[in-house]
Amino acid sequence: MNTPETTYVLSPVELDLLELHLGGGTDTLTLLDRPVQGPVTLTDAENTPLAVVGEDGHATALKPIARAAGPHWDPAVRRGAHDVAHEIRREVGPVGDVLALLVDAAPTRDELDALDGLVAGAAAVLVLVPASRRHPEPGHLGAPGLARVGTVVGDAVAAAFDGPVRTVVVPWADGAGLRWDDVATHHGADRVERLADHRTPPTAERVARLSTLWSREVGTLYPDAVAREVEHAARGARSEGTVVFFTGLSGSGKSTVAQALAAELDDEGRHTTLLDGDAVRQHLSKGLGFDKASRELNVERIGYVASLVAYHGGVAIAAPIAPFASGRARVREMAQAAGRFVLVHVSTPLEVCEARDRKGLYAKARAGEIPEFTGISSPYEEPTDADLVVDTSVTSVEAAVAQVKNLL
């Protein structure tokens, strides 16, 4: 298939929209509430061609979208709308009433107690869980947490309901013009109920007050003037910032582990910034080459931004190749001046990295088409000071994330 010359690099939000569309969740592709004028090739931040959009606004897949780790990436629940609709309609028939339960917030006991009445009369139930690549707002569940509570709801429905129940993680992007009624229909549902809408007013009021309970206790314990000082000190307090710096060959799995770690830490309420090597090349280091001096400057820029994040109490997760010990040492120095530094060497063997290559870069490097390619025509200096060494050819992404979290 000949691909058009025009390309469009997708943001994380737009990757969600493309994934939803390719799975059959929308009729035409809209990116950030703007219809795409085809023909155009859509790529990720690594410049991997993912799909071609024709003049009709419909996208045709070229390569699979890279998957990450975590409960929201479990292939048993992260399934395309077309497959879900086909399966559920095969079980209940074309006229069976399929209810979609939208779980976009942590359900209280109220909502779980209301399940019996909600599912009564339905032939099947789809528990739809929105999952976004975008970082959640502080205090809100991210995609991993929503996937876990979605499973809780699915299990509760299955215990109270005789018909088919499916929990489905749906790629989602707020503010992009999506409507749950339409998306649920594409998944095979006849109607949608948002579970959080069945929270009783007293419970909703108690949930809304959660964020102010601490301030009220401070106001009760201290005189007004003193309470203001206590609250001021609490707002100014910051936890120790951390830079988690992944290094390894292209295709080693460092970006996948870094993305999964960022999602988990975000879900735990940590302020996390992900600085992936390929994405940084699109913005922070655009225009730099791949000679040693340019690579060192790229790594130094990443280290500088990461150290700023750490200085302000956040967690910066960086995942460049960073092939040279001197560059990594400079990053360590900057990071330790701002907070804590954790170096993770993703030591996946070269032959495994080469076999995984989605873009054919290793083949081009071996053919001499890409000069100074790390691991082929340019050296990779393996770190001797890594805090953790992970080989993703023998260690799962989930296990690797757990090992890094243990260090933190």
Side-chain angles (χ1 to χ4, degrees):
M1 176 178 182
N2 293 326
T3 58
E5 294 182 4
T6 304
T7 61
Y8 185 103
V9 180
L10 299 171
S11 68
V13 172
E14 291 168 334
L15 277 172
D16 287 323
L17 293 167
L18 176 62
E19 184 184 351
L20 178 65
H21 174 66
L22 292 177
T26 58
D27 289 323
T28 57
L29 179 63
T30 299
L31 299 181
L32 294 181
D33 210 20
R34 295 191 307 272
V36 178
Q37 300 298 317
V40 60
T41 298
L42 305 178
T43 78
D44 59 17
E46 300 178 10
N47 288 319
T48 304
L50 301 176
V52 171
V53 181
E55 294 181 358
D56 60 355
H58 183 79
T60 302
L62 296 176
K63 290 188 177 182
I65 297 175
R67 300 183 68 85
H72 56 305
W73 284 101
D74 183 348
V77 293
R78 196 174 185 116
R79 303 171 58 200
H82 177 79
D83 290 343
V84 173
H86 180 75
E87 180 180 290
I88 207 72
R89 283 298 167 189
R90 188 175 60 225
E91 293 192 50
V92 304
V95 296
D97 178 42
V98 178
L99 167 67
L101 278 180
L102 172 59
V103 180
D104 61 352
T108 68
R109 296 181 189 277
D110 275 1
E111 291 96 292
L112 296 183
D113 289 344
L115 285 176
D116 283 353
L118 285 174
V119 302
V125 177
L126 300 177
V127 179
L128 302 184
V129 181
S132 174
R133 288 171 169 84
R134 177 185 286 166
H135 297 318
E137 295 180 8
H140 290 73
L141 287 180
L146 280 174
R148 284 188 284 264
V149 301
T151 299
V152 171
V153 173
D155 291 343
V157 172
F161 182 68
D162 292 332
V165 180
R166 298 288 185 276
T167 299
V168 183
V169 169
V170 181
W172 193 254
D174 286 325
L178 298 174
R179 296 178 65 253
W180 272 111
D181 286 345
D182 296 335
V183 173
T185 298
H186 282 78
H187 281 77
D190 296 291
R191 54 194 176 97
V192 184
E193 291 282 355
R194 181 174 180 262
L195 198 54
D197 290 341
H198 295 271
R199 185 175 294 173
T200 63
T203 297
E205 184 179 347
R206 291 175 64 188
V207 170
R209 288 202 309 262
L210 283 176
S211 61
T212 63
L213 290 179
W214 185 85
S215 295
R216 291 186 180 186
E217 282 297 299
V218 170
T220 301
L221 290 168
Y222 299 96
D224 290 346
V226 178
R228 285 194 294 272
E229 296 300 329
V230 171
E231 288 201 60
H232 177 75
R235 286 195 299 270
R238 63 180 179 89
S239 59
E240 182 186 26
T242 303
V243 174
V244 183
F245 194 88
F246 290 86
T247 176
L249 296 171
S250 177
S252 62
K254 60 188 181 299
S255 293
T256 302
V257 177
Q259 290 165 5
L261 175 65
E264 287 291 333
L265 294 181
D266 271 335
D267 207 47
E268 294 173 5
R270 306 290 294 272
H271 297 290
T272 307
T273 300
L274 178 62
L275 300 167
D276 191 12
D278 291 295
V280 166
R281 281 277 182 179
Q282 293 283 336
H283 304 286
L284 186 64
S285 295
K286 189 172 184 178
L288 288 182
F290 289 89
D291 57 282
K292 182 172 182 179
S294 294
R295 291 183 180 192
E296 293 279 67
L297 180 56
N298 176 54
V299 170
E300 187 171 340
R301 288 178 178 179
I302 292 172
Y304 175 70
V305 173
S307 68
L308 290 179
V309 172
Y311 176 78
H312 291 284
V315 178
I317 302 174
I321 293 175
F324 304 115
S326 57
R328 296 192 297 263
R330 281 195 292 275
V331 174
R332 179 185 289 275
E333 183 180 359
M334 286 187 286
Q336 288 181 336
R340 186 181 178 196
F341 180 75
V342 175
L343 180 62
V344 181
H345 176 206
V346 184
S347 64
T348 308
L350 174 62
E351 58 272 17
V352 177
C353 297
E354 198 164 354
R356 290 175 176 173
D357 186 18
R358 299 172 66 226
K359 294 180 286 185
L361 298 180
Y362 279 99
K364 291 180 180 178
R366 290 196 180 279
E369 298 175 23
I370 302 178
E372 298 190 79
F373 189 84
T374 303
I376 303 298
S377 51
S378 182
Y380 177 78
E381 299 173 0
E382 293 198 0
T384 58
D385 58 345
D387 299 286
L388 177 66
V389 179
V390 176
D391 178 353
T392 62
S393 68
V394 295
T395 303
S396 69
V397 173
E398 291 83 357
V401 168
Q403 290 178 36
V404 178
K405 288 179 67 176
N406 285 338
L407 287 177
L408 302 178

